[in-house]
Amino acid sequence: MRGIILAGGNGTRLQPVSLVGSKQLAPVYDKPMIYYPLSVLMLAGISDVLIITRPTELELFQRLFGDGGRLGMSIRYAAQDAPRGIADAFRVGADHIGGEDCALILGDNLFHGADLPPMLRSSAERLNGCVLFAHQVSDPQKFGVAEVDRAGRLVAIEEKPERPRSNLAIPGLYFFDGEVVDIAKRLTPSLRGELEITDVLRAYLKQGRADLMWMGRGVTWLDTGTHESLLEAGLFVRDVQRRQGTRIGCVEEVAMHMGFIGPDECHRLGAEMPNSPYGRYVMDCARAYERLPASARLRGGR
């Protein structure tokens, strides 16, 4: 399965912070925002990722991740010269997808929870068309909303409805088969000139090939696209890390636990940041991993 992170857009909700660079490079507590969606793709077992961003910011992401080899991954980059909607990612990333299954995640979405890694892997394994996720929220009118029948089956999708028929919001994480590129190419842009992800989901739903995966209380979802939500996300990350002694979205640690790199490589990456608590944590993780029995290794990270 291939992965795509959509890190484009103008970040107007975060201005003036986003006036000088990509919002996905803004810090969420102790690491760039994009670490969090990247770690989600990695937890799904995806090591081949395309980052789509604005032309002026390509070099910044390349400086951050390079070709991904240090994490045992392949990370490539593509430019989206203007915001054209979420579904435009499939047109921009058509060559990257290459007819394979793919996962798309928005660069300002943060997911965390013990239930997340097995949910991601089971969703990838059961993929037959598309899998979208649902998370209960108190303000569904701000999101795409999933309507389900009494058996919990997906029956309709509404985009920011005034009168939502459920409180099940659809986060910015989706799994698709290779047909998604052709579906996206057939879309008619909205009045805003954008290709809507809701239209892609409806096309799969019409074919009877759209599965809904519920994110229960074992998974936290945060959209970090506003000043308030960015602050809330930073406080959430800080508090969880303080209580649990682990770090959310630590891509070096996840790469090691997923088997993309070994503990020696992980330790070297941490040693490049010796004065940072983050770097020392990465080194500690590598040392702790080496002490684990073989049966406890490669469990899918955190």
Side-chain angles (χ1 to χ4, degrees), residues 4-190:
I4 295 177
I5 302 176
L6 184 55
N10 295 323
T12 54
R13 293 183 297 166
L14 276 176
Q15 290 178 350
V17 173
S18 57
L19 290 176
V20 294
S22 170
K23 68 177 180 180
Q24 287 84 10
L25 293 174
V28 178
Y29 188 53
D30 60 349
K31 59 191 77 71
M33 185 188 297
I34 198 169
Y35 273 43
Y36 300 94
L38 177 61
S39 69
V40 170
L41 295 182
M42 296 166 70
L43 287 171
I46 297 171
S47 60
D48 193 347
V49 174
L50 176 72
I51 297 175
I52 299 175
T53 188
R54 295 187 293 186
T56 54
E57 284 143 10
L58 279 173
E59 183 180 353
L60 297 177
F61 286 99
Q62 290 170 337
R63 286 172 57 190
L64 184 61
F65 296 122
D67 64 1
R70 287 154 53 84
L71 294 172
M73 303 177 66
S74 170
I75 299 179
R76 288 173 281 183
Y77 308 87
Q80 186 184 48
D81 57 5
R84 296 192 181 91
I86 296 173
D88 186 52
F90 303 117
R91 294 187 177 186
V92 176
D95 290 341
H96 171 71
I97 296 171
E100 302 290 329
D101 295 345
C102 67
L104 170 66
I105 188 168
L106 303 187
D108 59 1
N109 275 221
L110 185 157
F111 300 88
H112 175 68
D115 293 345
L116 183 61
M119 179 184 299
L120 294 171
R121 289 191 285 274
S122 65
S123 298
E125 291 169 359
R126 65 184 268 189
L127 182 63
N128 179 28
C130 82
V131 174
L132 59 155
F133 298 84
H135 200 287
Q136 291 187 356
V137 296
S138 59
D139 50 356
Q141 65 275 9
K142 296 180 181 179
F143 305 96
V145 174
E147 180 184 354
V148 298
D149 61 18
R150 292 186 177 181
R153 292 185 296 261
L154 181 67
V155 296
I157 301 167
E158 298 180 283
E159 182 63 29
K160 298 180 180 178
E162 292 183 7
R163 296 180 176 84
R165 297 178 184 175
S166 82
N167 65 345
L168 297 176
I170 301 173
L173 173 63
Y174 320 87
F175 289 6
F176 295 98
D177 65 12
E179 189 181 339
V180 69
V181 173
D182 291 333
I183 290 175
K185 288 180 178 179
R186 292 195 297 266
L187 291 181
T188 300
S190 67

